[in-house]
Every structure is written in C-alpha cells, then in structure tokens.
Amino acid sequence: MTTQATAALQAEVNRLRLEVQRLQTEQGSQKITIGNYLLTRLTQLGVTSMFGVPGDFNLGFLDLVEDHPTINWVGNCNELNAAYAADGYARVKEHSIGVVLTTFGVGELSATNGIAGGKPFSEMVPVLHLVGVPSTAQQKTKPMLHHTLGDGRYDAYVKAAEQFTFSQAFLTDKKNAASEIDRVLVDCMTVARPVYLSLPTDLVHEEISAQGLKISLSRHPSPNDVEVESFVLDLISKQFKEAAGDAVVLVDACTIRHDVRQELNDFLRNTGFPVYATPMGKTAVDENYERYGGIYLGSISRPEIKDKVESAKLLLSIGSLRSDFNTGNFSYNISTARTIELHSNYTQVQYAAFPAIGMKQLLPKLTERLACYCDRASKIHIPQYTSPIPKEDNDLISHTWLWPRVGAFFKPKDVIITETGTSNFGISDVPLPEKSILVSQVLWGSIGWSIGSTLGAALAARDRGLGRTILFVGDGSIQLTVQELSVMMRQDVKPIIFLINNSGYTIERYIHGKQRKYNDISNWNWTGLFNTLGDSDGKLSRTYTVRDKTNLSELLDDVTFASGDKIQLVEIIMDKLDAPRALQVQAQLSGKTNAYDSKVIRGPEGEMDDIRNTVESNVD
C-alpha cells in the first residue's frame, strides 16, 4: 500500500474515532470554552496569524485571540484587505489555512469579495471566514439591532455566504459546537476552499468537552475505490502504450492547492516526461528542472512551447483550471481524445469521467505503471527555457526588458506576488529559481488583491523560513488597498515592492478605451507613502524612483537593497501603453469576446474566426 493510501485510510480512521469519542465523552471531565476549542484546532492546523477587524460582536472572542500564546492577531485596515491577507497566507503556508475574523453584517459583507476569490470553481484557497454574530437569544427574538437590515432577517448574511463558501456552520448551542467546528475545518482542508463559521457572542465562553482535541482532524480525501482505481490505471496505461510514450505533462493550480507537489515531482523524475505549466501552475515544478519546458498558454504561447505541447500524441493534465486568462482565451489546440485529466476528486480519460478517483492517491500508482517509459521519454527534446535580457537601443524601461532583468534579481526561496494586469503576464515567461513560490490571482482577478495578499504571504514566509517577499503591482491597483502597507510595518515584515507607474489601468486600456479618461487615475506621491502611513522618521523603510534601465539595474545590483533589510518601494516609471506581449494579445481577445467593437462579426463561428486571426497575427 502506498504512503498516500495509508495516510488516507488513517485519516478516515481518525474521523470515525472522533465521532465515536464524541458520543462517549460529551460529559467528559476535561472542559474547554468553545472559543478556546476553536483556537486549539487552528493551532493544530499550523495557524499562527489571524486577520480581520474588531467589531462589537467579535470582541469577546478577540480577548482570547490576543491572549493566545501562539496565534498573532494581525489587525487590518478593513475587512476586504483582511480577506486578501488570509488568502495570501493560505497560499504560502502550505498544509495550513488562512483565517479572517469579521463582525456580523457590515464586516462580513465587506470581506465577501476577498472570500469569493477562493470560492468553488475560482482560486481554490483554504480560508476560514469566522464571523462574530449576535447572541443566541437575540437570534431568536430578532430585535432591530445595528448591523441588521432592520427587517428581522438575521440569516441574510449566511445565505450570501452560501454562494461563496464550500460549507457553513451556524453555531446555535454548545451541544453541536465541537462537531460543527470540526466539520467545516475538515472541509476547508480537504477541498481547499473557503468555509464560513458564525460564533454567537454568548457561546464564546460556554464550556464543552475537550476530549475531541486529542484526535487530529483529517487532512486527506477519502480513499479511492480500489476496483475503479485499478480500472483507471489500466486504461491510462493503455493510452500511454498506444502513444508509445510520446506524452507531455501540463501542471496547473490545483496541483499546488491540493498538496500533490511531492507526488507530482516523484512522477516526473521517475518517468522523464517533459513537463510544462499554465500561468496558474507556475512554480508547481521547480523551473530549473531539466525536463521543464516553460509556460503553455494556448495560442499565446511561445511558438516552440506551443509546438511541443500540441504535437504530442498524449497530454497528461494535472490539476487544471481552464479559465480564459489561464488558457489564452480557451485557445488550447489539444483534442479531448488525446487528453487525460487528473483532478482532486475525479479523473477523466478521454471522454470518460471517473468520479471520486483523486490524483493524490492515483499519482504514485501511476508512477509505478509508467516508469518503464523513462528512457524513451527522457530522449524527447525540450527547448531550453530561458529569458535573456534583450538589448534595446534606448534607456527607457520597457516590459520586454523589465521582466528578464528582474528575473536575474530573484533568488531561491523567494516568494513573488504579481498583481492582476501587466505583472501577471510579464512574469509568465521568466524562469524562477528553485523553491521559489509565485502567488497570483489569475482567475478571480480582483485588482488591489496583491497588497493584502503580500502581507499574508510575508507572514507565512517568515513562519516557513523562506526568502524575500517581492511584490509587483501597478499604480492603479495599489490605490485600492494601500492602507495595508501600514500593517506591514507594524507587523515588521519587509517586502520589496516594485510599483509600476504607468499612469492608470493599462490592462483595461488594452481591452478597451486606450485614451479614455475612465482608465486614468490620480498620480500620488508614491515615495512619500511610508511617511504618511506610519514611518515618520524613515527608520523602517526606503523608497526609490527609477526612470531608466541604468538606474534600475544599479539598484537591483545594490547589496543593501537586495538584502531586504527594510520594507522598500521602488517606483518604476513606464509608458502607459507599454505592456507585455502576452497581455496585449489576451486583452485583444477579451475585448473581441466582450463585443465592444461593433465590427466584430456576430455569431459563434464568425467571432471565433476573427479571434483566431487576431491571435495568429500577433503570435507570428
């Protein structure tokens, strides 16, 4: 039996033991308050930071948080930023979860956008949204309290949460509190999606049995059905035999979200198949691995990558999330007949789907079956994945030059965050060092997300002993959530922030309205931000403005700057209509799909022909 299968069985045993013990020890001698039961569970899951904003319905619980020996109350400027921070924390703190605490109504609704970025079918991030709510007595009598809608609908907000979280628990008494807390936490971990838990003010200090805390919560999905899994393995093996080992692997975001990095890397090194990644799957595989070929983005891909991926007889897709920005506007040229997909909760072989056959347990067995192809697969040529710094005939900072140049600045174990827009697209073709982590929000794409996420990511990186935290963000995006720079200084995290000042929303300009005023913003005194936000004497931070290649290169080569000993902001002046090639093509495709241009031919066939012609002209 494989290690993964053993772990899955042990998790199921633990779950059953926990249920039995609850029935036997509800009146156990060891007691703990509900609030501390929850905090103990979070500690067991490796949580060391909690994000959020105080409000009168969560203050009693916050007393426990502030007095807790290992969980740090971060305290954010608003609930949206707090949700973003919990998101970033969860992405970097592998095997743990992010936690955001808000108050009833006004607080939880403010956090909803940040929670939605991790919802089912979106970014798949394990975040607990914990909400302090009115007492159980008030829930029953429904007085016209502040933060309510004034119509007695106390359940309106949890109904909203049902749209953006995988599961919800609304605590009503102490009898079911432990089991409900455990249920949503297990869901959060095993499906890697946000969950919602409400905690009434009067239940925080109610005592319950502490016996259940002796049994660990399940982190693993249920075991695969042995007979079905065996059939699937035979079927996949047959496909590889018919393809004579001519196959490539394409890794995506769910490889990271569902904790299969180790299984994936064992598979790759034992089989030798070429491997590529999508933008959302970047850094799932170390990019200095000799069999790694770069980023596949459908028709927007580099020609040599597009050719290798699309000409293979078989594609093994692992953990895919096929959104528009992750697939070059759905321009994959790979037929279903040549595709095998492994997911967290199902497997698809060509046109046949097999529910409940998950990749974490399947991959090790597939490794054993396909290791025989290693010699043959290792001979498949992969063009070298590099991004040389181009020589341009001027000193202006361009995206073509910027991204390869900062690529040389990165170090192993760096945590790199890119904002929606030019940064997400610019970073895609830059090879990143081993054990580095790229954090981006390609699918949900909420501008301003990266500032809060950087706070959470930096705290998680510190916990894990990783390297520098480095953020790339545009001047338009940072204006939405800039307040969290003050929290970064208060929490003593020291990210390096590259702020691309290109006079507004460049990605929107390329989608539509290049010269429209609605894509303009007010220009701020960016190098004065830290003074305004708390560093009045300049001891905690440094700021820079660079306007040309020479000055930026000198700064990147500066040992003190590169050490990241303080929080630092670098304002990079760029032309407002300069953008990475991939963004320009993607934006044109999005604009045509949105049918902003009246000249676009209506109807599915005509419009898609127009899009294909645009892609081909830009790629060629």
Side-chain angles (χ1 to χ4, degrees):
M1 182 178 291
T2 66
T3 302
Q4 289 73 21
T6 302
L9 287 172
Q10 184 60 53
E12 186 68 9
V13 169
N14 283 351
R15 186 187 68 79
L16 295 172
R17 284 178 57 205
L18 189 59
E19 290 303 315
V20 171
Q21 190 168 77
R22 278 206 190 95
L23 294 174
Q24 294 175 340
T25 62
E26 284 184 354
Q27 305 301 320
S29 58
Q30 288 184 300
K31 299 292 185 180
I32 191 171
T33 65
I34 292 174
N36 279 318
Y37 183 96
L38 173 58
L39 290 174
T40 303
R41 278 300 194 204
L42 295 178
T43 301
Q44 291 174 349
L45 299 182
V47 174
T48 56
S49 292
M50 184 180 296
F51 307 91
V53 178
D56 57 340
F57 293 119
N58 64 29
L59 295 177
F61 179 69
L62 269 174
D63 287 340
L64 301 181
V65 176
E66 185 168 321
D67 294 340
H68 196 275
T70 60
I71 295 180
N72 171 45
W73 171 249
V74 175
N76 299 90
C77 296
N78 61 54
E79 291 87 357
L80 175 60
N81 293 354
Y84 288 156
D87 178 301
Y89 182 90
R91 290 173 191 256
V92 175
K93 190 77 175 284
E94 294 184 5
H95 313 299
S96 187
I97 65 173
V99 182
V100 56
L101 172 66
T102 66
T103 197
F104 178 64
V106 292
E108 57 184 303
L109 291 182
S110 181
T112 298
N113 178 43
I115 297 298
K119 69 174 183 174
F121 309 112
S122 188
E123 295 279 338
M124 294 191 179
V125 182
V127 172
L128 168 65
H129 186 186
L130 177 60
V131 183
V133 301
S135 69
T136 54
Q138 290 172 322
Q139 298 285 340
K140 293 177 182 177
T141 58
K142 296 179 173 56
M144 193 180 293
L145 288 180
H146 61 288
H147 300 341
T148 69
L149 298 172
D151 60 1
R153 288 187 298 145
Y154 277 60
D155 62 347
Y157 310 127
V158 71
K159 286 183 177 178
E162 289 172 357
Q163 308 304 312
F164 307 108
T165 54
F166 179 81
S167 62
Q168 308 80 35
F170 197 92
L171 302 188
T172 56
D173 58 55
K174 66 180 186 179
K175 291 181 180 179
N176 68 347
S179 61
E180 285 294 274
I181 289 169
D182 290 352
R183 176 178 63 82
V184 294
L185 290 178
V186 168
D187 285 346
C188 188
M189 291 183 296
T190 56
V191 301
R193 287 167 178 162
V195 296
Y196 176 98
L197 173 65
S198 71
L199 181 58
T201 56
D202 60 327
L203 292 186
V204 172
H205 296 288
E206 285 284 340
E207 289 191 335
I208 58 176
S209 172
Q211 292 298 104
L213 294 171
K214 296 179 180 180
I215 299 177
S216 299
L217 296 179
S218 169
R219 295 174 178 269
H220 299 278
S222 299
N224 291 344
D225 182 280
V226 175
E227 290 187 6
V228 178
E229 184 180 65
S230 178
F231 179 82
V232 170
L233 287 167
D234 288 343
L235 191 58
I236 294 175
S237 298
K238 179 182 177 183
Q239 297 299 313
F240 274 83
K241 183 177 180 180
E242 291 178 357
D246 182 6
V248 299
V249 178
L250 183 64
V251 299
D252 210 333
C254 290
T255 303
I256 303 169
R257 304 287 193 270
H258 292 281
D259 189 29
V260 294
R261 285 183 196 259
Q262 187 59 55
E263 293 83 357
L264 169 65
N265 283 297
D266 289 345
F267 174 84
L268 294 173
R269 281 165 172 76
N270 281 282
T271 62
F273 291 115
V275 57
Y276 298 84
T278 68
M280 292 180 72
K282 191 171 172 68
T283 67
V285 177
D286 276 349
E287 299 194 344
N288 63 348
Y289 173 50
E290 65 272 13
R291 303 298 293 158
Y292 177 71
I295 298 296
Y296 176 68
L297 191 52
S299 296
I300 303 176
S301 308
R302 290 184 185 181
E304 69 275 16
I305 294 175
K306 183 177 184 294
D307 175 67
K308 287 293 182 182
V309 173
E310 295 181 359
S311 65
K313 291 181 180 178
L314 196 62
L315 175 76
L316 179 62
S317 172
I318 304 180
S320 68
L321 270 175
R322 294 193 179 184
S323 71
D324 52 354
F325 279 18
N326 202 38
T327 61
N329 223 61
F330 312 113
S331 60
Y332 280 16
N333 188 22
I334 307 163
S335 68
T336 303
R338 293 190 291 132
T339 303
I340 297 168
E341 295 185 21
L342 308 186
H343 295 272
S344 63
N345 58 352
Y346 76 96
T347 298
Q348 183 157 335
V349 184
Q350 297 173 302
Y351 298 95
F354 300 90
I357 301 298
M359 60 185 170
K360 188 169 182 66
Q361 296 164 46
L362 186 68
L363 262 173
K365 298 168 186 176
L366 196 59
T367 301
E368 296 176 5
R369 293 286 192 102
L370 302 182
C372 58
Y373 292 101
C374 187
D375 288 342
R376 192 179 312 172
S378 298
K379 293 181 174 64
I380 299 174
H381 174 67
I382 302 176
Q384 189 176 9
Y385 178 49
T386 61
S387 184
I389 302 172
K391 293 182 179 179
E392 298 181 333
D393 59 4
N394 62 67
D395 207 26
L396 298 177
I397 300 172
S398 66
H399 280 283
T400 302
W401 177 88
L402 173 65
W403 295 103
R405 180 62 186 88
V406 295
F409 173 73
F410 297 141
K411 299 177 182 179
K413 292 189 175 183
D414 278 346
V415 177
I416 302 157
I417 301 101
T418 56
E419 175 63 66
T420 296
T422 55
S423 302
N424 269 0
F425 287 89
I427 200 73
S428 63
D429 281 337
V430 177
L432 300 180
E434 62 180 341
K435 297 182 180 179
S436 59
I437 297 174
L438 177 66
V439 181
S440 61
Q441 199 189 56
V442 175
L443 176 50
W444 187 242
S446 182
I447 64 170
W449 159 86
S450 67
I451 306 300
S453 186
T454 295
L455 168 62
L459 289 167
R462 185 164 66 188
D463 285 354
R464 292 186 57 190
L466 298 173
R468 304 169 300 180
T469 300
I470 301 171
L471 166 66
F472 294 89
V473 62
D475 53 343
S477 295
I478 195 174
Q479 289 191 359
L480 277 74
T481 50
V482 69
Q483 311 97 316
E484 294 311 302
L485 296 182
S486 65
V487 183
M488 293 178 196
M489 289 187 283
R490 177 157 50 83
Q491 292 293 325
D492 195 32
V493 292
K494 303 164 183 175
I496 299 173
I497 301 167
F498 292 97
L499 188 152
I500 298 174
N501 186 342
N502 51 13
S503 303
Y505 301 120
T506 295
I507 185 171
E508 312 293 2
R509 294 187 197 281
Y510 270 95
I511 293 175
H512 187 72
K514 281 190 177 181
Q515 303 300 336
R516 289 289 184 176
K517 288 187 290 185
Y518 52 66
N519 285 324
D520 296 339
I521 63 169
S522 299
N523 191 39
W524 289 4
N525 177 15
W526 300 109
T527 56
L529 277 178
F530 291 124
N531 179 276
T532 300
L533 296 174
D535 188 18
S536 57
D537 56 9
K539 293 181 179 179
L540 302 176
S541 64
R542 298 190 193 96
T543 59
Y544 314 82
T545 296
V546 292
R547 300 177 182 276
D548 53 52
K549 296 183 177 77
T550 300
N551 287 338
L552 181 53
S553 283
E554 289 174 353
L555 181 61
L556 294 174
D557 291 336
D558 182 87
V559 175
T560 301
F561 171 77
S563 69
D565 62 327
K566 295 183 178 183
I567 186 171
Q568 300 176 99
L569 184 145
V570 183
E571 179 187 12
I572 303 175
I573 307 298
M574 301 186 71
D575 185 86
K576 71 179 183 180
L577 292 180
D578 185 30
R581 179 198 64 86
L583 183 149
Q584 294 183 42
V585 179
Q586 177 66 64
Q588 285 182 320
L589 297 178
S590 296
K592 290 181 180 296
T593 302
N594 292 339
Y596 292 126
D597 187 348
S598 61
K599 296 179 181 178
V600 172
I601 301 173
R602 304 298 176 183
E605 294 183 2
E607 186 169 322
M608 287 309 298
D609 285 343
D610 190 54
I611 289 173
R612 290 191 191 98
N613 291 336
T614 301
V615 173
E616 290 169 3
S617 64
N618 278 279
V619 171
D620 292 341

